[in-house]
Amino acid sequence: LFLLFLTAFVNGGLKAEILFQDDFEGGALKPEWTITKTNDGKVSVRNDHGPASGQGHLVFEDAVDDATFSVAEATMSVNLSNKKRVVLTFKAKSLGNDPHDAYVYWYGTRNYDGVAISGEGGASWLPVHSLATTGSDWETISLNLDEAIVYSGYENSNILIRFSVYDNASVPVDGIAIDDVSISAEPD
């Protein structure tokens, strides 16, 4: 207990604040989210497939079981001006997903399963986490985005954070679910 107090005192106290939080309990997406897709991609708030907590989670899938691959994406915008120690935390699980790993850095087509950031309004994206090998049980993922933000040159700006899934079938054959998404940061 003393060590915890000393660590907090030396670091200037525990200042992290929640900038965004969504547990998908309202049955619809919050206005911070934007949904994009190609072909038959589908993103929906659902209550089946065992949410990580509560009654709802966000499901990414292809709405039609066929040979045509589709992208399903949910993107949020967050203002990180004067913020540091930015952490994205969420839970994810596979709903029978076929893995499609993200490229190092890309423009245009997003044929991958993962999380990426953009500070250029979506003109280019930097993958920060692959969801390609996500297991069938809920996994808690916490990503410190500071290095990625600095590396990509997006420091102190509005950042887009995108969850993307690339598949050719609907759940339970292909797809990924996420739940309990939050972004926290400390004042700079």
Side-chain angles (χ1 to χ4, degrees):
L1 185 58
F2 174 74
L3 187 56
L4 179 61
F5 171 77
L6 181 59
T7 303
F9 179 79
V10 169
N11 290 333
L14 302 175
K15 301 179 196 174
E17 61 181 289
I18 302 295
L19 304 177
F20 176 84
Q21 190 168 17
D22 197 350
D23 56 10
F24 308 106
E25 295 306 305
L29 288 173
K30 290 184 174 183
E32 293 88 349
W33 291 104
T34 301
I35 302 302
T36 51
K37 65 183 186 88
T38 64
N39 303 319
D40 303 312
K42 181 180 176 184
V43 179
S44 55
V45 176
R46 296 171 52 167
N47 61 7
D48 52 353
H49 308 293
S53 63
Q55 299 293 317
H57 56 228
L58 196 60
V59 174
F60 299 77
E61 64 184 320
D62 187 317
V64 178
D65 295 341
D66 57 19
T68 303
F69 279 83
S70 303
V71 174
E73 301 168 324
T75 306
M76 72 178 93
S77 177
V78 61
N79 185 339
L80 298 178
S81 296
N82 302 312
K83 302 294 183 198
K84 64 182 179 183
R85 295 188 182 107
V86 179
V87 176
L88 167 65
T89 302
F90 63 95
K91 295 178 182 169
K93 77 173 182 176
S94 170
L95 300 174
N97 188 54
D98 289 332
H100 302 96
D101 226 342
Y103 300 102
V104 174
Y105 197 60
W106 74 94
Y107 301 86
T109 306
R110 311 79 68 180
N111 301 344
Y112 71 100
D113 303 328
V115 182
I117 64 169
S118 176
E120 303 169 333
S124 64
W125 293 90
L126 176 66
V128 293
H129 184 76
S130 175
L131 294 173
T133 58
T134 301
S136 59
D137 293 324
W138 285 106
E139 301 171 18
T140 299
I141 300 156
S142 289
L143 306 172
N144 181 328
L145 299 181
D146 284 357
E147 287 184 32
I149 291 167
V150 170
Y151 170 80
S152 60
Y154 304 151
E155 199 168 7
N156 294 326
S157 65
N158 286 318
I159 301 293
L160 299 176
I161 300 173
R162 172 176 283 167
F163 294 84
S164 185
V165 174
Y166 180 67
D167 278 318
N168 67 339
S170 57
V171 299
V173 176
D174 269 343
I176 292 175
I178 64 170
D179 205 353
D180 301 333
V181 177
S182 69
I183 301 170
S184 63
E186 294 179 12
D188 196 10

